[in-house]
């Protein structure tokens, strides 16, 4: 794939996440995927609670989807997603979050607005992950905490592709 084809593909992927994806990560997973995401959530939350403290007054859940992580965060949380459908769905699960439609590559927040930024399973879906990380660092307080995950090269991810894929092919 040449550079122009890659840029066109990345734009197609971004458009998919803005307008096309309508998958409720809280309600829709069935069978294998429900078990998989339940295990992933338990592992993540166990680690998250080790890192977060009472001083984490304002948290950004960046690329929140339909609130898979947001609904489990006890602190004040801002849920950001590029997809308006996701934000409408998150209201079902999380009444206390501030909801913001936005792009992780261009966050609509002032500098040092958050004590922590959470970004799980998002960076692998965007055209410029390094730009998103720069944005996370910009909106974090000086001693803030960036907590993120991306898929690991592990057989479970291969199996997930066999059972259910909700994102564009070859992403």
């Amino acid at each position: 794939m040449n550079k122009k084809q890659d840029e066109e593909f990345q734009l197609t992927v971004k458009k998919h996440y803005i307008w096309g994806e309508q998958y409720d990560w809280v309600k829709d997973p069935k069978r294998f995927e429900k078990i998989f995401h339940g295990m992933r959530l338990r592992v993540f939350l166990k680690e998250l609670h080790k890192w977060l403290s009472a001083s984490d007054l304002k948290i950004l859940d960046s690329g929140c989807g339909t609130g898979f992580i947001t609904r489990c965060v006890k602190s004040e949380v801002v849920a950001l997603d590029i997809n308006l459908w996701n934000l409408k769905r998150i209201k079902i699960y999380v009444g206390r979050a501030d909801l913001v439609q936005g792009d992780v590559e261009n966050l609509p927040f002032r500098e040092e607005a958050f004590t922590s930024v959470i970004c799980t399973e998002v960076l692998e879906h965007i055209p410029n992950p390094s730009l998103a990380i720069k944005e996370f660092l910009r909106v974090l307080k000086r001693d803030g905490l960036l907590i993120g995950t991306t898929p690991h090269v592990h057989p479970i991810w291969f199996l997930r592709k066999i059972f259910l894929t909700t994102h564009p092919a070859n992403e």
Side-chain angles (χ1 to χ4, degrees):
M1 188 180 295
N2 65 36
K3 185 176 179 179
K4 183 176 180 184
Q5 289 172 320
D6 184 54
E7 288 172 359
E8 288 172 4
F9 178 72
Q10 292 296 338
L11 183 58
T12 300
V13 169
K14 190 170 258 192
K15 285 179 181 178
H16 166 77
Y17 285 106
I18 295 171
W19 296 292
E21 184 176 64
Q22 293 190 353
Y23 186 80
D24 187 332
W25 291 97
V26 176
K27 181 181 89 36
D28 291 346
K30 305 288 187 254
R31 297 179 188 85
F32 174 76
E33 190 161 51
K34 186 173 190 148
I35 294 166
F36 171 77
H37 286 299
M39 289 171 50
R40 182 172 70 89
L41 180 63
R42 279 192 300 279
V43 168
F44 181 77
L45 290 177
K46 183 178 177 185
E47 293 301 314
L48 179 69
H49 294 304
K50 287 181 188 177
W51 290 96
L52 293 181
S53 67
S55 63
D56 287 303
L57 302 175
K58 193 152 193 179
I59 298 171
L60 173 63
D61 186 2
S62 188
C64 64
T66 57
F68 195 63
I69 302 293
T70 307
R71 65 194 171 101
C72 300
V73 175
K74 305 294 183 225
S75 304
E76 181 182 349
V77 62
V78 174
L80 175 124
D81 202 275
I82 199 166
N83 183 306
L84 185 58
W85 185 87
N86 283 345
L87 295 173
K88 289 177 181 177
R89 296 291 301 170
I90 201 171
K91 288 180 184 180
I92 297 168
Y93 309 111
V94 182
R96 71 193 183 328
D98 292 325
L99 307 177
V100 176
Q101 185 177 17
D103 189 336
V104 296
E105 294 175 309
N106 186 21
L107 294 173
F109 306 108
R110 63 178 170 74
E111 292 181 11
E112 298 190 28
F114 299 96
T115 55
S116 295
V117 173
I118 299 170
C119 182
T120 61
E121 315 300 316
V122 173
L123 294 176
E124 69 274 14
H125 300 291
I126 61 174
N128 194 343
S130 60
L131 183 57
I133 291 170
K134 285 179 185 175
E135 281 291 281
F136 298 152
L137 296 176
R138 180 184 66 78
V139 301
L140 271 172
K141 291 193 180 294
R142 178 160 285 151
D143 294 327
L145 182 64
L146 173 58
I147 304 168
T149 63
T150 58
H152 183 273
V153 180
H154 189 276
I156 196 93
W157 285 101
F158 175 75
L159 291 173
R160 182 177 177 269
K161 286 183 179 182
I162 293 170
F163 289 104
L164 180 62
T165 301
T166 60
H167 54 78
N170 300 321
E171 181 184 3

